[in-house]
């Protein structure tokens, strides 16, 4: 099969990569559309040392077969899938789920081939059916939208909160839309006026991060993917405020952490989130402008679509400053 692989830091297109075989509890899924995210770009830089295999974790596809007769009802269904595969035996898996299982694998990130390929396998328990009304071009956003929703699970938001989302990129725009659905005054902050054009079109309030006063936000979500964004986020959050970190990037942040102590800042890491609510939001967004206000708008975030065989060009595009979502279609 076709696949986009990473080995020893080298990204390559493979025309004859071995096709996977589903285990007894797994499904074999034909990928119809996949999304390139910032984590994929950081993987190429060495974010996860030693990874070798197929990249990618944002996808929508159709189940071709399953490894057991009792799960055959999934065959032919259009699905998305959560990316963490736990052991399902340890205390963490049984109590909280697979996201922090010490023995987990992670789709296209840690010890498991990902979705930049014709075919991928996942445990059936990781699958969710896609509503008929949600097109592939929207369903492919399920994983990053779920990551944005994770903040709503972790942080109790108040209508009076002043919320700043630092980074008007792929994830930041989803985070801002999710937070604007039910909480306070949300502003999207970027470094350049041109980077704020799209969030403004989405109806979000915007501003230049350099112009924001110190200590001006109750909650700051850092989604820039660089240490300069972290420094700005720390500067903007008020004493006893909350700083949510969404970025995953290769390297170490070079910032002064004194304010975390002196200002008694609450810092929250935020990673993977719930897929079912993400699909409900995407379903609510189908229709006209009124329906979109009930959910989130994802199609305006799409920059380009490439065939999988042009995956190297797609990665170059996704790495451009200001690039939004780049999609990969196997055929």
């Amino acid at each position: 099969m076709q696949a986009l692989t990473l080995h020893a830091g080298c990204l390559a297109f493979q025309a004859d990569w071995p096709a996977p075989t589903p285990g007894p509890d797994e499904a074999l899924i034909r990928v119809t559309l996949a999304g390139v995210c910032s984590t994929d770009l950081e993987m190429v830089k060495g974010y996860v040392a030693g990874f070798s295999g197929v990249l990618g974790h944002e996808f929508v596809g159709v189940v071709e077969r399953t490894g057991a007769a009792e799960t055959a009802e999934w065959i032919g269904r259009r699905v998305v899938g959560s990316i963490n595969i736990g052991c399902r035996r340890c205390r963490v898996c049984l109590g909280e789920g697979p996201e922090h299982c010490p023995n987990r694998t992670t789709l296209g990130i840690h010890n498991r081939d990902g979705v930049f390929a014709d075919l991928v396998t996942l445990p059936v328990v990781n699958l969710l059916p896609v509503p008929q009304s949600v097109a592939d071009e929207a369903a492919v956003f399920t994983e990053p939208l779920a990551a944005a929703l994770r903040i709503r699970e972790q942080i109790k938001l108040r209508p009076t909160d002043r919320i700043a989302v630092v980074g008007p990129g792929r994830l930041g725009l989803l985070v801002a839309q999710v937070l604007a659905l039910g909480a306070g005054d949300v502003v999207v902050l970027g470094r350049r006026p041109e980077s704020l054009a799209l969030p403004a079109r989405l109806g979000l309030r915007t501003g230049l991060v350099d112009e924001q006063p110190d200590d001006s936000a109750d909650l700051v979500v850092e989604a820039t993917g660089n240490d300069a964004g972290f420094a700005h986020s720390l500067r903007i959050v008020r004493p006893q405020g909350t700083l949510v970190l969404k970025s995953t990037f290769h390297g170490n942040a070079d910032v002064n952490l004194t304010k975390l102590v002196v200002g008694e800042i609450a810092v929250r890491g935020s990673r993977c989130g719930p897929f079912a609510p993400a699909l409900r939001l995407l379903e609510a967004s189908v229709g006209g402008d009124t329906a979109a206000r009930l959910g989130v708008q994802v199609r305006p975030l799409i920059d380009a679509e490439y065939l999988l065989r042009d995956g190297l060009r797609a990665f170059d595009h996704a790495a451009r400053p200001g690039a939004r979502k780049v999609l990969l279609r196997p055929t």
Side-chain angles (χ1 to χ4, degrees):
M1 68 173 185
Q2 301 178 101
L4 198 61
T5 65
L6 181 68
H7 178 69
C10 181
L11 185 67
F13 173 75
Q14 310 280 355
D16 56 354
W17 191 257
T21 300
D25 63 344
E26 293 183 330
L28 179 70
I29 304 154
R30 182 162 295 277
V31 178
T32 53
L33 200 60
V36 180
C37 82
S38 297
T39 299
D40 300 317
L41 300 175
E42 294 299 319
M43 291 284 292
V44 176
K45 299 177 185 177
Y47 164 59
V48 177
F51 178 86
S52 181
V54 182
L55 284 180
H57 56 274
E58 301 176 4
F59 82 100
V60 57
V62 176
V63 176
E64 287 212 334
R65 62 188 174 97
T66 60
E70 54 266 30
T71 54
E73 72 272 11
W74 283 94
I75 296 173
R77 300 184 81 173
R78 196 163 55 108
V79 297
V80 293
S82 55
I83 71 173
N84 295 289
I85 299 91
C87 67
R88 282 179 267 167
R89 297 185 300 272
C90 70
R91 178 185 59 80
V92 176
C93 279
L94 296 176
E96 302 168 10
E99 286 77 18
H100 299 287
C101 170
N103 303 305
R104 73 182 181 276
T105 62
T106 306
L107 194 63
I109 297 174
H110 179 65
N111 288 343
R112 191 175 188 99
D113 279 346
V115 301
F116 294 160
D118 291 322
L119 298 164
V120 67
T121 58
L122 265 180
V124 171
V125 296
N126 285 59
L127 302 182
L128 289 90
V130 177
Q132 185 175 359
S133 62
V134 178
D136 286 352
E137 290 79 7
V140 74
F141 282 87
T142 304
E143 194 278 335
L145 183 56
L149 284 166
R150 176 62 175 155
I151 299 172
R152 298 288 298 269
E153 290 186 324
Q154 294 174 299
I155 307 294
K156 183 177 181 180
L157 302 174
R158 299 167 298 182
T160 56
D161 280 339
R162 299 164 298 168
I163 301 171
V165 178
V166 181
R170 290 171 277 260
L171 181 57
L173 292 181
L174 294 176
V175 168
Q177 290 187 80
V178 164
L179 296 181
L181 287 174
D185 180 17
V186 179
V187 60
V188 179
L189 302 177
R191 290 183 294 176
R192 304 178 309 278
E194 56 269 26
S195 71
L196 301 174
L198 179 55
R201 288 201 302 273
L202 295 175
L204 298 164
R205 191 165 69 86
T206 64
L208 293 172
V209 68
D210 288 330
E211 297 177 357
Q212 301 307 301
D214 295 357
D215 305 334
S216 57
D218 301 297
L219 169 67
V220 177
V221 180
E222 190 283 312
T224 65
N226 59 69
D227 56 356
F230 183 94
H232 274 302
S233 300
L234 185 55
R235 177 181 64 81
I236 293 167
V237 67
R238 68 165 175 83
Q240 297 187 324
T242 300
L243 175 60
V244 175
L245 303 180
K246 270 295 184 187
S247 289
T248 53
F249 58 89
H250 176 60
N252 300 312
D254 182 18
V255 293
N256 187 339
L257 300 180
T258 300
K259 184 178 178 180
L260 294 179
V261 178
V262 176
E264 297 185 329
I265 308 298
V267 180
R268 194 68 188 257
S270 185
R271 186 167 149 257
C272 300
F275 271 48
L279 285 168
R280 289 196 296 270
L281 270 180
L282 291 171
E283 190 173 22
S285 303
V286 176
D289 292 340
T290 300
R293 286 195 294 271
L294 300 175
V296 294
Q297 302 177 67
V298 296
R299 285 179 181 260
L301 276 62
I302 299 173
D303 240 16
E305 181 181 306
Y306 291 81
L307 289 174
L308 183 59
R309 64 172 177 262
D310 298 320
L312 300 183
R313 289 176 50 215
F315 263 66
D316 287 342
H317 186 145
R320 297 174 193 167
R324 309 296 183 187
K325 183 60 70 180
V326 172
L327 302 179
L328 289 169
R329 191 179 293 274
T331 57

